[in-house]
Amino acid sequence: MAHYFVGDIQGCFEELQLILAKVDFNPSKDELWAVGDLVARGNGSLQTLRYLKSLDASAKITLGNHDLHLLALNGKVKRPNPKDHLDELLKADDLPQLIDWIRKQPLVQTLPSHNVIMTHAGVPPQWDLETLLTESKAVSEALQEDDYIKSLIAKMYTDEADLWDSKSTGLVRLRYCINALTRMRYLNTDGSLDFLCKTPITEKSSELTPWFEFDSELKRSHTLVFGHWAALMGVVNQPNMQALDTGCCWGEHLTLWHLETNEKIEQNKIYN
């Protein structure tokens, strides 16, 4: 069995098919691990979701901020952004089935046999594995509630839940987990999340540090696979890190990482 990890697809379905063809991906014996942000800027969000759903157990998914935003759009909490090219998806006859499938996807996937952890944006350096699994499970359970739109999705849009507090409860705790695992890039000196800066800082800042440069228990014991931060273009200069968002939807390329060979395969953006 081969394990292939793919960066943010963002509806770039044609590029996804081309990159999988390059490695002769066979779902009967291989697994495709997707770091989240399955939908949005590309033109093939509907096809992407249908394909990944069809892979069943051969697809391992983590939810990204755009995937959660799709739940908000479906629940009429937010209005569509024309730049996201989601009209076809939102009008699809099988949208309810696709939404139910998305709700069942977690915020974290682990591969214990290889000590690999996959999330969309990263893992807070304050967390150990037990905390990561416990907090993400709480969000997954909240997404399965009948009133998840009203109780969670409609209330998750906030920058206030930016600092981990093990004593926090309820919605505050869920919000922090969502913000950390789907939106995190930089941390302030106190470990709180910064939501403003997205571009790599060329000179070391006294205030902001990429989350992956903080020391952490999981950083030493596992390979951390993430996407979300296209501006990095896959460069983190850290051991045990795989940054896979390389901006395909922005005109760059899609990246596939083959775990067993440690090889990265690229597919340039296709312009039709």
Side-chain angles (χ1 to χ4, degrees):
M1 173 187 291
H3 298 86
Y4 296 103
F5 291 73
V6 67
D8 300 37
I9 301 169
Q10 290 248 11
C12 295
F13 180 68
E14 185 175 359
E15 290 82 359
L16 176 63
Q17 293 299 296
L18 289 171
I19 205 169
L20 292 179
K22 288 181 178 181
V23 297
D24 295 321
F25 175 73
N26 184 345
S28 68
K29 62 179 182 179
D30 302 326
E31 288 184 351
L32 179 62
W33 292 56
V35 300
D37 276 6
L38 312 176
V39 303
R41 303 290 178 170
N43 293 318
S45 291
L46 174 59
Q47 295 80 6
T48 298
L49 291 187
R50 284 174 172 171
Y51 174 70
L52 293 173
K53 181 174 180 290
S54 75
L55 294 179
D56 197 21
S58 295
K60 306 297 182 183
I61 309 296
T62 55
L63 296 178
N65 52 298
H66 281 286
D67 309 313
L68 292 173
H69 190 64
L70 174 61
L71 298 181
L73 295 176
N74 180 66
K76 312 301 182 185
V77 172
K78 293 287 185 176
R79 294 182 179 181
N81 182 340
K83 295 180 180 179
D84 285 339
H85 303 290
L86 292 174
D87 286 350
E88 182 184 21
L89 172 57
L90 293 171
K91 295 176 182 178
D93 292 339
D94 57 343
L95 178 63
Q97 291 76 29
L98 294 172
I99 292 295
D100 284 343
W101 177 78
I102 290 173
R103 287 173 58 193
K104 295 176 182 176
Q105 305 311 309
L107 294 184
V108 59
Q109 293 276 5
T110 64
L111 186 60
S113 61
H114 291 74
N115 289 333
V116 172
I117 294 172
M118 179 179 74
T119 60
H120 178 60
V123 179
Q126 305 96 323
W127 284 5
D128 57 18
L129 182 58
E130 181 181 0
T131 304
L132 172 62
L133 297 178
T134 299
E135 299 306 313
S136 61
K137 181 181 178 182
V139 174
S140 294
E141 290 175 347
L143 287 174
Q144 296 306 301
E145 297 291 336
D146 291 340
D147 66 342
Y148 78 101
I149 292 294
K150 181 179 180 180
S151 64
L152 179 63
I153 298 299
K155 298 178 179 179
M156 71 178 179
Y157 288 93
T158 176
D159 291 347
E160 294 178 2
D162 63 350
L163 183 62
W164 170 240
D165 181 358
S166 61
K167 296 179 181 179
S168 65
T169 60
L171 185 60
V172 172
R173 202 173 183 111
L174 297 175
R175 281 171 166 172
Y176 176 80
C177 182
I178 290 172
N179 282 341
L181 298 190
T182 71
R183 299 178 62 198
M184 180 171 61
R185 291 187 178 93
Y186 285 104
L187 301 183
N188 294 294
T189 53
D190 64 354
S192 61
L193 304 168
D194 174 81
F195 298 110
L196 298 178
C197 188
K198 299 181 179 181
T199 58
I201 297 177
T202 55
E203 297 182 4
K204 190 165 183 64
S205 169
S206 61
E207 298 181 357
L208 296 180
T209 302
W211 69 267
F212 48 78
E213 291 187 4
F214 281 78
D215 187 35
S216 72
E217 176 181 323
L218 289 179
K219 179 179 174 181
R220 295 190 299 270
S221 61
H222 289 72
T223 296
L224 304 183
V225 181
F226 65 99
H228 183 58
W229 202 346
L232 295 176
M233 289 303 293
V235 179
V236 293
N237 295 319
Q238 293 282 318
N240 298 333
M241 294 278 178
Q242 293 292 341
L244 298 182
D245 184 4
T246 46
C248 185
C249 68
W250 305 110
E252 295 293 342
H253 57 270
L254 193 64
T255 294
L256 192 74
W257 175 54
H258 184 189
L259 170 62
E260 283 73 19
T261 64
N262 195 31
E263 177 187 9
K264 284 188 175 178
I265 299 93
E266 298 178 355
Q267 171 57 53
N268 290 335
K269 172 70 176 176
I270 301 297
Y271 292 95
N272 296 320

